[in-house]
Amino acid sequence: MAVAPRDMTSPPSRLPGADAVLALVTPEVRSLQGYTLNAPDAPIKLNQNESPFDLPDPWKRTLADRIVSAPWNRYPAFVPAELTARLAERHEWVPEGVLVGNGSNELIQATFAVTLRSGDRVVTPSPTFSLYRLLAGVAGARWHGVSLGAEFAWEAAPLLRAAHDARVVVVCTPNNPTGTICPRPLVERLLAETEALILVDEAYQEFGGDTMVPLLRESARVVVVRTFSKAFGLAGLRFGYALAHPALASEMHKAKLPYNVNRFTLDVALTLLDHQTTIHARVAELVERRERIRDELRRLPGLHVYPGEANFLLIRCDRVPAATVFARLLAEFGILVRDVSQGEGLAECLRITIGTEEDMERTCAALRVILP
């Protein structure tokens, strides 16, 4: 007898069984606020710190031809040896200490999965990328944010005090959403004065600040994660990697899913390593534009522009509410920026990704109209 299809048009809250199944979810997870993004369509998109540069068409066509001829019915390499060797060479590290992931966030999650126990402390700067707190909570750990100082500068004393009994300390440098960098001597002190694992998120490192990769040779308690989403312009294909002591990398391998990166993304990542001169030129162009736009924005009334070395600028609206500036940029000028004003210590703040020259000219012109 044919079975009538279920009506799936009802919202999930009206479907039976919600209370019963939610009872199986841990209270700690249910208390967390999930990572969300409200991103309406806009002609000028400056809200996710993406690169304004797509891959050149000739590169795309070559890669497309290659993936068409590849066997889609076969898994990619279990360990992409050539790619991990190239990444190790790029950072003067060992291939056994390189893990690839479906974005760097997956490798942050894998690090937490193999190091955190219920009740452990995870210390991060505040404000910072909200996903650290979420992933720590899912792992059953306790998150502790340490407020950054004036102009969101990193300060040693409060961070060291908070980290004395931490299991993991997350250092995002340049930090998102502030753009400020953590000096290497502070990370060295964290290693010397605590027993914590230091997880360094260098998603934006190509745009400014010291890399902490050299510390891998000085301590086994360092993990550095990198991404191709920002400087390499590969946000749509999701590729990241982690550098760690081989002993820890072997344990992290247990926590990430097998075949976690598809063969197309692996191929594109390998190809981009052959074009680092182009990538470096694009980064230099964005850094120059960032500094020029920072100077221009600082001349606008009622606007405070924070120092920072990533591919975005953090601004504080002192005369017109940030929510009003955000709404008018979108509705009147078709410019979408990131409203971060609900974050701790970020009242009246907006984050603006550095886009194309035209994008930035139109954004500055729009702000001149909006700000009295």
Side-chain angles (χ1 to χ4, degrees):
M1 184 177 73
V3 178
R6 287 187 180 180
D7 179 9
M8 298 301 290
T9 59
S10 299
S13 60
R14 296 183 184 177
L15 295 175
D19 291 341
V21 73
L22 287 176
L24 301 175
V25 179
T26 65
E28 292 80 6
V29 171
R30 292 182 64 182
S31 68
L32 296 170
Q33 182 176 352
Y35 185 82
T36 59
L37 176 68
N38 179 22
D41 290 335
I44 299 178
K45 188 174 184 294
L46 304 176
N47 66 321
Q48 286 189 278
N49 301 339
E50 299 155 320
S51 172
F53 303 112
D54 199 356
L55 271 63
D57 284 344
W59 300 6
K60 285 187 172 183
R61 283 193 290 269
T62 299
L63 287 161
D65 290 342
R66 197 178 303 166
I67 196 64
V68 165
S69 63
W72 292 16
N73 59 317
R74 303 299 183 189
Y75 288 109
F78 188 71
V79 175
E82 183 181 2
L83 180 54
T84 55
R86 291 286 301 279
L87 292 168
E89 180 184 15
R90 181 177 188 236
H91 296 288
E92 299 182 346
W93 189 230
V94 293
E96 299 80 10
V98 179
L99 287 174
V100 300
N102 183 28
S104 57
N105 292 337
E106 180 189 25
L107 299 168
I108 295 171
Q109 185 179 43
T111 305
F112 284 1
V114 302
T115 58
L116 294 177
R117 302 160 301 192
S118 179
D120 282 341
R121 275 167 53 90
V122 174
V123 171
T124 77
S126 180
T128 194
F129 187 29
S130 62
L131 197 65
Y132 308 140
R133 182 176 188 174
L134 175 61
L135 293 178
V138 170
R142 295 175 295 125
W143 172 83
H144 181 85
V146 178
S147 296
L148 295 170
E151 296 291 274
F152 296 121
W154 293 70
E155 295 183 343
L159 186 61
L160 289 165
R161 283 196 301 269
H164 79 280
D165 63 345
R167 184 77 168 184
V168 175
V169 177
V170 181
V171 173
C172 180
T173 181
N175 184 44
N176 176 24
T178 65
T180 45
I181 60 171
C182 179
R184 188 186 298 180
L186 177 50
V187 180
E188 292 172 338
R189 288 190 64 184
L190 285 167
L191 289 168
E193 299 178 30
T194 78
E195 297 181 357
L197 179 78
I198 311 301
L199 174 59
V200 186
D201 186 348
E202 292 190 346
Y204 302 95
Q205 193 281 322
E206 287 90 349
F207 300 100
D210 289 335
T211 177
M212 305 301 166
V213 169
L215 297 181
L216 290 164
R217 295 195 176 276
E218 300 179 18
S219 174
R221 290 187 289 113
V222 179
V223 176
V224 178
V225 294
R226 291 285 196 114
T227 182
F228 274 33
S229 294
K230 311 303 181 185
F232 283 80
L234 210 61
L237 293 187
R238 311 300 299 126
F239 181 75
Y241 59 99
L243 307 170
H245 189 284
L248 179 57
S250 179
E251 299 304 314
M252 291 167 61
H253 194 276
K254 300 174 183 178
K256 74 175 187 65
L257 296 176
Y259 308 108
N260 55 330
V261 184
N262 69 80
R263 67 166 65 245
F264 184 47
T265 296
L266 292 172
D267 204 3
V268 176
L270 192 58
T271 298
L272 286 177
L273 290 175
D274 292 329
H275 294 281
Q276 292 190 67
T277 300
T278 298
I279 303 302
H280 292 159
R282 289 176 166 187
V283 168
E285 180 179 337
L286 289 175
V287 169
E288 185 278 332
R289 186 174 300 147
R290 177 193 70 201
E291 295 308 302
R292 190 159 35 83
I293 297 303
R294 189 201 311 274
D295 290 341
E296 188 165 346
L297 292 179
R298 280 176 170 163
R299 291 193 288 268
L300 297 182
L303 199 66
H304 182 82
V305 185
Y306 289 96
E309 298 194 34
N311 66 334
F312 57 81
L313 291 171
L314 183 71
I315 64 172
R316 188 184 69 234
C317 305
D318 291 336
R319 295 185 185 177
V320 180
T324 300
V325 175
F326 174 87
R328 290 192 62 186
L329 282 172
L330 182 60
E332 299 176 27
F333 302 95
I335 300 170
L336 178 63
V337 299
R338 190 67 173 266
D339 184 351
V340 296
S341 61
Q342 299 305 307
E344 184 176 350
L346 293 168
E348 303 301 337
C349 286
L350 301 173
R351 192 191 68 194
I352 304 174
T353 303
I354 303 301
T356 65
E357 186 68 28
E358 181 182 1
D359 290 342
M360 305 320 295
E361 288 177 359
R362 292 176 63 179
T363 300
C364 289
L367 287 171
R368 281 192 288 269
V369 172
I370 295 170
L371 300 173

